[in-house]
Amino acid sequence: MQNLSGKMIAIVATNGFEQSELEVPLNKLREAGATVHVVSLEPGEIKGWDKKDWGNSVPVDKTLSEAKPDDYDALVLPGGQINPDLLRVEPDAIAFIKSFWQQKKVVAAICHAPWLLVEAGIVKGRKVTSFNSIKTDVINAGGLWEDSQVVTDQGLITSRNPGDLDAFCEKIAEEVNEGRHERRAA
């Protein structure tokens, strides 16, 4: 994976994140040299969901009220069914995501996390993928859904499931190193 020394990445999640979809990017991006903060609604820890039951807890580095999008180069949104469903009704979470997009920074979402992109108004006219069960939601929001492992559209990275985490992390590193993305209208 490309070197990410000096880069700052936020992972926004809450209880019910899919274990591997937070932990694998967190570890891989840190191993590549990035400073990665887990950002959540409340301080303390958040608990993962590991396939069919509750998983491990992960410490929260910053709350949404403490974290500033200006300080980061990219945003990663892990999925799972519970996590994005809880976050998409939180105005602060949606505003945080929108800010990254408006600043032309990398936004990466996996599995069910494109629900957050739908809520933030980001998918319209963009090539995206997601877990199959939210395909219709993405299409209804104007997304150009693709049945692909990882899809990138001008700094927007989406991946369909946890089986694609290596390719997802590689694409995040590549896009972060490219810098801000000039986005033409969708």
Side-chain angles (χ1 to χ4, degrees):
M1 189 149 78
Q2 294 183 21
N3 185 318
L4 292 171
S5 295
K7 302 296 184 182
M8 298 274 294
I9 299 173
I11 298 178
V12 172
T14 192
N15 291 308
F17 63 86
E18 183 64 40
Q19 198 79 46
S20 63
E21 294 173 15
L22 186 148
E23 288 182 342
V24 172
L26 175 68
N27 294 330
K28 285 187 173 286
L29 297 169
R30 283 181 175 166
E31 287 168 10
T35 299
V36 185
H37 292 152
V38 174
V39 179
S40 193
L41 302 169
E42 302 289 331
E45 293 184 333
I46 52 176
K47 194 162 188 74
W49 185 262
D50 197 2
K51 297 176 186 73
K52 296 184 181 201
D53 203 353
W54 290 103
N56 300 322
S57 293
V58 173
V60 172
D61 297 302
K62 292 186 179 232
T63 62
L64 276 168
S65 62
E66 295 169 331
K68 306 288 181 256
D70 294 352
D71 295 340
Y72 297 97
D73 298 292
L75 173 64
V76 177
L77 302 168
Q81 290 176 296
I82 301 167
N83 170 61
D85 198 41
L86 292 174
L87 287 173
R88 68 183 177 159
V89 297
E90 293 291 337
D92 290 344
I94 300 308
F96 194 79
I97 295 164
K98 281 182 181 178
S99 183
F100 274 83
W101 188 249
Q102 290 164 346
Q103 292 181 40
K104 300 177 174 32
K105 294 180 179 182
V106 173
V107 176
I110 187 166
C111 189
H112 287 76
W115 264 341
L116 295 165
L117 305 177
V118 166
E119 197 63 38
I122 292 172
V123 300
K124 187 174 184 179
R126 301 280 169 213
K127 294 185 294 181
V128 294
T129 194
S130 67
F131 196 73
N132 259 352
S133 68
I134 69 166
K135 171 184 176 180
T136 301
D137 297 337
V138 171
I139 292 168
N140 286 343
L144 308 175
W145 195 87
E146 293 183 15
D147 186 14
S148 299
Q149 180 180 8
V150 177
V151 174
T152 305
D153 188 339
Q154 299 180 21
L156 180 64
I157 305 164
T158 51
S159 184
R160 63 181 170 209
N161 64 53
D164 305 330
L165 285 168
D166 287 341
F168 181 65
C169 293
E170 290 285 344
K171 189 49 84 172
I172 293 168
E174 180 184 321
E175 293 291 306
V176 166
N177 280 322
E178 284 179 11
R180 293 183 190 238
H181 289 73
E182 292 306 316
R183 298 190 175 105
R184 46 184 205 280

